Amino acid sequence: YRNQASANAVLTIQFFFLNTSEDTPDPTILLSKTYSSVKPIGTASPQSLMNGWNKALEEILNEFLSDLSYHLKQDQMNSSKQTKDN
């Protein structure tokens, strides 16, 4: 509650997804991204902070799912292209 007049809930999460395979000794990074969200909470209270964090988490997870879906589609397209080329 640094600024009582305009308190915010701030949430930052970093995701790393690795592809591990018996075929390769070293994992490759599939997705690495840091997501942040700032939500105004109005009254500086514990309940308001929790509500703000919940809204921030929902926003972050929606963005993450969108990114993950994009990467999975790209991976599927690359896999099908490699299969056709072979």
Side-chain angles (χ1 to χ4, degrees):
Y1 312 119
R2 290 182 184 164
N3 183 344
Q4 292 289 327
S6 62
N8 291 306
V10 180
L11 188 64
T12 300
I13 300 174
Q14 187 171 29
F15 289 104
F16 285 98
F17 281 87
L18 302 175
N19 182 14
T20 58
S21 168
E22 294 178 5
D23 300 334
T24 58
D26 297 322
T28 56
I29 297 173
L30 297 175
L31 175 63
S32 171
K33 188 171 178 181
T34 301
Y35 299 85
S36 293
S37 181
V38 177
K39 296 294 179 194
I41 61 171
T43 306
S45 70
Q47 186 62 45
S48 295
L49 181 59
M50 289 303 298
N51 290 339
W53 279 338
N54 284 336
K55 290 176 185 174
L57 180 59
E58 181 179 2
E59 180 179 286
I60 287 171
L61 290 177
N62 284 331
E63 186 178 346
F64 165 71
L65 289 174
S66 176
D67 289 346
L68 184 60
S69 175
Y70 171 80
H71 284 283
L72 289 174
K73 286 178 186 174
Q74 291 298 314
D75 189 51
Q76 287 174 345
M77 288 182 358
N78 290 338
S79 293
S80 70
K81 184 178 178 183
Q82 288 176 354
T83 302
K84 288 179 184 178
D85 290 343
N86 291 332

